[in-house]
């Protein structure tokens, strides 16, 4: 009888198990295969479910059977929105099968892969919200009790991107309890169970583990979402043990810069080699991640937008921006490519094109027609002419030299492309030629309300006076002790983002800033970037030129 059972167990499962009709295989793991199925009942009611069956080659193995039974026993006692729900467990024709809720969505492994291939970063708010949900689900599991009130002391031990799935409602669910450790699941001590690169140091050393081990796994996943690469790309177990014993995980997490830098304190604590140095529990970790998303409604919208975009990418489509009731009422204060989010327009030969960020508001207007652009240019030209007349009167009253006024008149018509750049922040910015001579002298026109203007500097034959509006070219007026100026350029050209706000493409001349420390980010169209801090002193100028190919500063 045992031989018959082994032969039966080693075959493919039938098309039907109990009242469940298997439709198609949707995934296959190390010990089991998951099928999409229908639970058939009266009146044609057939809800969709997921049926997990042990792989044929392991179906007769008692060790795998026991793991399967433990998964069903543990999962059936957990009821939380961030944990996949176990609905049934049975055996038929020698096949153990586990019935779970069917989750339609995309795994975080798939989402990270799609973003990496399309050169699209995942916004901080999305990563923090996903981590918060996973941490809350784990905290519930860690503190769960059996029906008789006994604490289960459950540790999942296999938190990784492929075991986390995001559904269309913006909810993340933990999928697999196959190697979970619990009081009700006895196991042999001294064995290593988990996935290399995501398991905690004590877990990799085959020591006793507790709930702190799952914190380490969550942090490794969040690092991968932020960097779009694994925390430990190394594969050799001995090398991984050595790196973890030296706190290499925390060191790598500490290198996060840019929009994802606020994640660093959370990751540093959760990735500590010593379990006692991590968060008190995953509930505290969830609170720390929640502080990075102070608006839960907006965070939910960003996660929904993220799911919508990666789902379209998974289907081979270029995602289209979606509007919601809240985003339609908000106008972006900066161009969308300065938000640090995931652009919807993606995947050309030279890298991502600027577009609407995942988790950010969509563009509020369609591209302008040539007639509209002409009207905009004429309006801008009229404004410049009126401004010139007013400036002329003020300068005359202030006894300013007539030569400077004439230079202003000559250079005014040069601003045709500037108007288009200001009116269309979501289009490709206007490419300006790199200067081949010394930076032009930029003089801001005096304020009309002042009784007298400050004396203008002596105009040299090569100087060019360009009265341009903010923020396309910032000008340096009466720099005081409370302000300084920044001049920055790069090879090749890049976007200049100062303190999180997009200013313009390089070169940026004499951009006026309040005295103090500022964070400057240079970002090329092909996704390369550098970020640095500048200390601006009152009345002084900071000059920087970055060479992306060499990865170093160029002497001025």
């Amino acid at each position: 009888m045992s031989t018959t059972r082994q032969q039966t167990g080693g075959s493919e499962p039938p098309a039907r198990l109990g009242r469940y009709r298997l439709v198609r295989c949707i995934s296959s793991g190390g010990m089991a295969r998951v099928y999409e199925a229908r639970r058939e009942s009266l009146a044609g009611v057939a809800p969709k479910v997921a049926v997990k069956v042990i792989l044929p080659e392991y179906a007769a193995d008692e060790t795998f059977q026991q793991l399967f039974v433990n998964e069903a026993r543990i999962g059936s006692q957990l009821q939380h929105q961030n944990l996949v729900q176990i609905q049934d467990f049975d055996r038929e024709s020698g096949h153990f099968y586990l019935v779970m809720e069917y989750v339609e969505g995309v795994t975080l492994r798939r989402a990270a892969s799609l973003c990496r291939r399309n050169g699209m970063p995942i916004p901080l708010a999305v990563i923090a919200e996903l981590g918060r949900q996973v941490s809350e689900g784990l905290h519930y599991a860690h503190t769960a009790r059996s029906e008789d009130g006994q604490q289960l002391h459950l540790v999942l031990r296999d938190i990784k991107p492929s075991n986390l799935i995001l559904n269309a409602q913006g909810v993340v669910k933990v999928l697999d309890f196959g190697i979970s450790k619990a009081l009700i699941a006895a196991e042999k001590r001294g064995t290593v169970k988990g996935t290399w690169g995501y398991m905690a140091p004590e877990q990799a050393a085959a020591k006793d583990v507790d709930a702190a081990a799952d914190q380490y796994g969550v942090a490794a996943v969040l690092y991968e979402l932020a960097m779009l690469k694994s925390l430990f790309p190394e594969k050799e177990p001995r090398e991984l043990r050595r790196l973890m014993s030296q706190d290499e995980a925390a060191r790598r997490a500490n290198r996060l810069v840019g929009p994802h830098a606020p994640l660093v304190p959370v990751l540093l604590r959760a990735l500590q080699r010593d379990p006692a140095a991590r968060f008190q529990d995953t509930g505290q970790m969830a609170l720390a991640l929640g502080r990075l998303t102070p608006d839960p409604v907006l965070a939910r919208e960003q996660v929904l937008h993220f799911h919508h975009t990666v789902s379209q990418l998974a289907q081979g489509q270029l995602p289209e921006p979606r509007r919601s009731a809240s985003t339609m009422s908000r106008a972006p204060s900066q161009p969308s490519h300065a938000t640090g989010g995931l652009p919807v327009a993606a995947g050309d030969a030279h890298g991502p094109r600027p577009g609407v960020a995942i988790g950010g508001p969509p563009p509020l207007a369609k591209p302008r027609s040539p007639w509209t652009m002409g009207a905009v240019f004429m309006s801008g030209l009229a404004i410049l002419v009126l401004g010139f007349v007013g400036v002329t009167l003020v300068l005359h009253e202030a006894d300013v030299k007539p030569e400077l006024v004439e230079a202003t008149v000559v250079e005014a018509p040069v601003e045709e492309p500037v108007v288009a750049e200001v009116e269309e922040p979501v289009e490709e910015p206007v490419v300006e030629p790199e200067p081949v001579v010394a930076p032009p002298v930029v003089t801001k026109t005096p304020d009309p309300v002042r009784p007298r203007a400050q004396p203008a500097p002596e105009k040299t034959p090569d100087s060019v006076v360009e009265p341009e509006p903010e923020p396309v070219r910032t000008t340096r007026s009466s720099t005081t002790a409370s302000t300084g100026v920044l001049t920055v350029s790069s090879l090749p050209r890049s976007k200049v983002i100062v303190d999180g706000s997009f200013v313009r493409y390089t070169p940026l001349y004499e951009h006026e800033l309040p005295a103090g420390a500022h964070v400057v980010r240079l970002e090329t169209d092909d996704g390369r970037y550098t970020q640095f801090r500048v200390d601006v002193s009152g009345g002084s100028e900071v000059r920087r030129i970055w060479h992306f190919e060499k990865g170093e500063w160029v002497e001025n």
Side-chain angles (χ1 to χ4, degrees):
M1 180 177 295
S2 60
T3 304
T4 305
R5 187 171 299 171
Q6 181 172 353
Q7 291 173 349
T8 306
S11 60
E12 289 290 339
R16 178 183 295 274
L17 291 172
R19 57 178 179 151
Y20 302 97
R21 176 171 53 85
L22 306 186
V23 177
R24 64 186 179 93
C25 177
I26 54 179
S27 69
S28 184
M31 63 171 271
R33 186 172 292 150
V34 180
Y35 294 88
E36 176 189 336
R38 296 283 182 173
R39 183 176 64 240
E40 297 182 339
S41 55
L42 295 176
V45 177
K48 188 183 296 186
V49 295
V51 175
K52 188 173 184 179
V53 184
I54 299 180
L55 288 172
E57 55 267 33
Y58 301 124
D61 190 304
E62 292 185 0
T63 301
F64 284 95
Q65 291 179 2
Q66 189 58 47
L67 287 173
F68 210 49
V69 172
N70 290 339
E71 180 177 3
R73 187 182 302 169
I74 294 170
S76 64
Q77 300 186 52
L78 302 176
Q79 301 292 325
H80 191 274
Q81 66 171 354
N82 298 118
L83 306 177
V84 68
Q85 304 299 298
I86 304 298
Q87 300 178 355
D88 197 2
F89 181 68
D90 209 340
R91 179 178 182 179
E92 181 171 309
S93 302
H95 294 279
F96 285 100
Y97 63 93
L98 181 66
V99 181
M100 306 174 291
E101 65 170 315
Y102 187 87
V103 183
E104 295 220 33
V106 58
T107 66
L108 298 192
R109 169 79 70 196
R110 177 74 168 146
S113 176
L114 289 167
C115 292
R116 180 170 56 252
R117 290 206 305 263
N118 288 275
M120 302 187 301
I122 304 176
L124 169 67
V126 172
I127 297 174
E129 174 62 14
L130 297 179
R132 183 194 66 80
Q133 291 189 33
V134 173
S135 298
E136 285 190 349
L138 291 175
H139 182 60
Y140 166 83
H142 294 157
T143 57
R145 295 180 179 272
S146 62
E147 293 180 353
D148 59 3
Q150 186 179 19
Q151 189 166 353
L152 296 176
H153 297 288
L154 178 63
V155 186
L156 270 71
R157 297 191 296 186
D158 200 21
I159 304 300
K160 56 186 178 182
S162 57
N163 277 349
L164 304 173
I165 188 168
L166 175 64
N167 68 15
Q169 291 72 46
V171 178
V172 188
K173 289 181 179 286
V174 181
L175 289 178
D176 198 343
F177 302 93
I179 64 168
S180 301
K181 175 182 178 294
L183 183 64
I184 60 176
E187 66 179 12
K188 182 180 179 180
R189 299 185 63 180
T191 57
V192 177
K193 293 185 177 180
T195 302
W196 290 104
Y198 302 95
M199 66 173 72
E202 66 273 18
Q203 186 178 348
K207 298 179 180 179
D208 289 337
V209 298
D210 57 16
D214 286 341
Q215 292 183 32
Y216 196 98
V218 174
V221 171
L222 298 184
Y223 176 93
E224 186 167 336
L225 295 179
M227 295 296 291
L228 297 181
K229 65 179 182 180
S230 299
L231 176 62
F232 286 112
E234 296 83 1
K235 302 300 181 184
E236 174 61 36
R238 180 178 299 179
E239 176 67 8
L240 288 168
R241 286 193 183 98
R242 184 188 67 82
L243 292 172
M244 287 188 285
S245 68
Q246 298 174 355
D247 265 331
E248 181 62 21
R251 287 192 183 90
R252 293 181 181 182
N254 195 38
R255 296 170 190 155
L256 277 176
V257 295
H260 298 120
L263 272 175
V264 170
V266 179
L267 300 187
L268 280 180
R269 187 166 182 183
L271 290 171
Q272 290 296 306
R273 175 185 57 187
D274 182 4
R278 298 171 199 158
F279 288 98
Q280 180 180 353
D281 53 47
T282 44
Q284 294 298 318
M285 185 175 181
L287 290 175
L289 290 166
R291 295 187 190 102
L292 302 180
T293 57
D295 187 341
V297 176
L298 181 58
R300 174 179 170 79
E301 285 187 6
Q302 290 177 307
V303 171
L304 289 171
H305 196 180
F306 174 71
H307 175 273
H308 173 70
T309 301
V310 296
S311 296
Q312 288 184 301
L313 289 174
Q315 298 168 9
Q317 304 173 4
L318 279 179
E320 296 294 335
R322 297 193 310 171
R323 286 176 181 251
S324 63
S326 58
T327 56
M328 289 178 66
S329 62
R330 296 194 302 269
S333 58
Q334 295 293 340
S336 58
H337 55 268
T339 62
L342 182 66
V344 168
D348 68 13
H350 304 289
R353 300 186 297 272
V356 178
I358 281 190
L364 301 181
K366 296 181 179 179
R368 310 284 181 133
S369 66
W371 295 104
T372 304
M373 294 301 299
V376 170
F377 169 67
M378 294 302 296
S379 300
L381 187 59
I383 292 173
L384 289 175
V385 172
L386 291 175
F388 160 68
V389 173
V391 169
T392 303
L393 294 176
V394 172
L395 293 179
H396 178 73
E397 181 180 351
D399 296 328
V400 178
K401 295 181 179 181
E403 290 81 0
L404 183 60
V405 178
E406 291 175 3
T408 306
V409 176
V410 170
E411 293 299 324
V414 177
E415 301 303 317
E416 178 176 355
V418 174
V419 178
E421 185 177 346
V422 174
E423 291 296 321
E424 295 294 332
V426 298
E427 294 182 352
E428 286 287 353
V430 176
V431 179
E432 298 185 2
E434 295 285 349
V436 295
V437 294
V441 178
V442 182
T443 305
K444 185 174 182 179
T445 55
D447 192 338
V449 300
R450 296 179 182 177
R452 294 188 65 83
Q454 296 295 328
E458 187 68 22
K459 185 176 76 69
T460 64
D462 294 331
S463 64
V464 179
V465 182
E466 298 186 359
E468 299 187 6
E470 296 278 322
V472 176
R473 183 184 293 272
T474 56
T475 59
R476 181 174 172 180
S477 57
S478 55
T479 303
T480 67
S482 62
T483 61
V485 293
L486 170 67
T487 295
V488 63
S489 187
S490 66
L491 298 170
R493 74 167 194 157
S494 61
K495 291 174 281 191
V496 183
I497 301 171
V498 180
D499 296 330
S501 299
F502 173 74
V503 180
R504 62 158 293 155
Y505 273 74
T506 56
L508 174 67
Y509 296 117
E510 298 183 334
H511 178 58
E512 195 166 320
L513 291 172
H518 300 274
V519 177
V520 180
R521 179 185 175 95
L522 302 180
E523 184 175 325
T524 64
D525 289 336
D526 60 8
R528 292 176 292 173
Y529 70 90
T530 184
Q531 183 165 300
F532 56 94
R533 168 177 164 168
V534 295
D535 294 314
V536 177
S537 303
S540 67
E541 179 181 13
V542 177
R543 300 176 66 88
R544 295 285 190 273
I545 302 175
W546 178 255
H547 199 300
F548 278 96
E549 300 298 335
K550 297 181 179 179
E552 62 184 20
W553 297 109
V554 179
E555 294 295 331
N556 293 333

